[in-house]
Amino acid sequence: MQLITVSLLNGVFYGLLLFMLASGLTLIFSMMGVLNFAHGAFYMLGAYFAFQAGRWIGFWPALLIVPLVVGTLGAAVEHWGLRRVHWYGHVPELLFTFGLAFVVHEVVQAVWGRLPVNYPIPPSLSFPAFSVFSADFPAYRLFMMAISLALFGVLRLVLTRTRIGLLVQAALVQPDMLSALGHNVPRIFALVFGLGCGMAGLAGVIGGNAFVTEPAMAESIGTIAFVIVVIGGLGSLTGAFVASLLVGIVQTFCVASSLTIGGLLGYVGAVPRTAYGDLLRISLANLAPLLPYALLVLTLAIRPRGLMGRRE
């Protein structure tokens, strides 16, 4: 019971961090149709900027300033780079953002080096919030979960209940009509792209010290954001939220489990064959990094629109 409860809490924590990262990609991908392969790079910039700003002004000012800086940088990238290739289709956009990710990776290595940096959790949140079966749950994780849930609620409210959300959705469906009504569609796209990058920067500020801040962090978690967007469904913020929790909980349970494939088949009533003995001895913990991509393939095979997507 202790293992189940602690793994569930850790899975929800990890899933909400994934949602914080994937929500920005969902916004950009669904509202603009842009395949932003540099989204993980903005997440990494948020972590490194927060590390540097934390040494100068502290964590709490950095929590407010860094997402704004990363969002402004994202809007500038859209205005002076991505907008020039947007009208040529998805392939130039993909190549542009793919190259941008490599540029950011090399710049980070040149400035902060190749080794992980010491980005600590703030002392004001470095204490156990509560205990579960003699296991302490850190207050910082509880703080991150509250931020992620608040972000989900605010985004859903803005996109569905406000005039700004209606303009953003109309800019994707009928950009010419929206422009004829006097709205600046390119500016809307820049704001959406900047907002998505700012949310990635916020995830970096909070997730950089919860995990490890290193140059490889963009590749390790950035690709999972694409998996979550596809599993949840294009254009669905709620789908991204559900998919994030699903991936986080399943992956955490597999990491904490000592079961093997053979043991799992035994639990469901299947009789393992001795011919596959080596394969059946593989533990679920070793398969945990593959599970998000296995869920992606399964979702595309059964429901190409995703769990709550509106289009394929």
Side-chain angles (χ1 to χ4, degrees), residues 146-209:
I147 292 292
S148 183
L149 290 173
L151 179 65
F152 172 66
V154 170
L155 280 178
R156 184 171 176 81
L157 180 65
V158 169
L159 292 177
T160 59
R161 303 295 182 184
T162 65
R163 184 171 180 268
I164 297 176
L166 294 177
L167 290 177
V168 169
Q169 297 182 58
L172 176 65
V173 181
Q174 294 290 343
D176 295 333
M177 180 63 70
L178 194 64
S179 179
L181 292 174
H183 297 284
N184 192 330
V185 176
R187 181 179 298 174
I188 293 175
F189 281 163
L191 291 176
V192 170
F193 195 86
L195 178 60
C197 294
M199 287 189 289
L202 176 62
V205 174
I206 296 179
N209 50 11

Side-chain angles (χ1 to χ4, degrees), residues 64-235:
L64 299 176
I65 295 174
V66 169
L68 296 177
V69 173
V70 176
T72 303
L73 183 61
V77 167
E78 195 281 334
H79 181 78
W80 282 292
L82 191 60
R83 186 177 302 179
R84 298 178 182 272
V85 301
H86 177 70
W87 303 109
Y88 296 100
H90 292 300
V91 174
E93 291 174 348
L94 172 64
L95 294 176
F96 176 84
T97 56
F98 191 70
L100 179 63
F102 279 101
V103 171
V104 172
H105 184 268
E106 293 300 324
V107 169
V108 166
Q109 285 189 340
V111 175
W112 288 283
R114 299 176 182 271
L115 297 178
V117 297
N118 183 23
Y119 177 27
I121 293 175
S124 57
L125 291 175
S126 184
F127 62 92
F130 55 86
S131 298
V132 180
F133 296 103
S134 72
D136 293 333
F137 192 79
Y140 187 77
R141 295 193 174 191
L142 195 64
F143 165 75
M144 193 284 304
M145 294 165 67
I147 292 292
S148 183
L149 290 173
L151 179 65
F152 172 66
V154 170
L155 280 178
R156 184 171 176 81
L157 180 65
V158 169
L159 292 177
T160 59
R161 303 295 182 184
T162 65
R163 184 171 180 268
I164 297 176
L166 294 177
L167 290 177
V168 169
Q169 297 182 58
L172 176 65
V173 181
Q174 294 290 343
D176 295 333
M177 180 63 70
L178 194 64
S179 179
L181 292 174
H183 297 284
N184 192 330
V185 176
R187 181 179 298 174
I188 293 175
F189 281 163
L191 291 176
V192 170
F193 195 86
L195 178 60
C197 294
M199 287 189 289
L202 176 62
V205 174
I206 296 179
N209 50 11
F211 295 99
V212 181
T213 300
E214 59 175 346
M217 63 188 302
E219 290 82 5
S220 62
I221 199 172
T223 54
I224 301 181
F226 282 92
V227 172
I228 289 171
V229 169
V230 176
I231 292 177
L234 300 182

Side-chain angles (χ1 to χ4, degrees), residues 24-35:
L25 183 60
T26 300
L27 187 67
I28 295 172
F29 202 11
S30 60
M31 300 302 172
M32 298 178 60
V34 174
L35 298 168

Side-chain angles (χ1 to χ4, degrees), residues 175-310:
D176 295 333
M177 180 63 70
L178 194 64
S179 179
L181 292 174
H183 297 284
N184 192 330
V185 176
R187 181 179 298 174
I188 293 175
F189 281 163
L191 291 176
V192 170
F193 195 86
L195 178 60
C197 294
M199 287 189 289
L202 176 62
V205 174
I206 296 179
N209 50 11
F211 295 99
V212 181
T213 300
E214 59 175 346
M217 63 188 302
E219 290 82 5
S220 62
I221 199 172
T223 54
I224 301 181
F226 282 92
V227 172
I228 289 171
V229 169
V230 176
I231 292 177
L234 300 182
S236 176
L237 188 67
T238 304
F241 182 78
V242 173
S244 300
L245 291 178
L246 176 64
V247 170
I249 292 174
V250 170
Q251 199 167 14
T252 302
F253 267 98
C254 288
V255 168
S257 174
S258 59
L259 278 176
T260 62
I261 296 179
L264 182 63
L265 292 176
Y267 273 116
V268 298
V271 180
R273 296 184 179 180
T274 57
Y276 303 103
D278 293 337
L279 178 62
L280 297 176
R281 282 193 291 269
I282 298 177
S283 65
L284 295 182
N286 291 332
L287 295 177
L290 300 177
L291 286 178
Y293 307 101
L295 289 174
L296 170 65
V297 173
L298 184 63
T299 302
L300 290 176
I302 298 177
R303 186 178 172 84
R305 290 179 297 173
L307 297 177
M308 300 180 183
R310 295 188 296 267

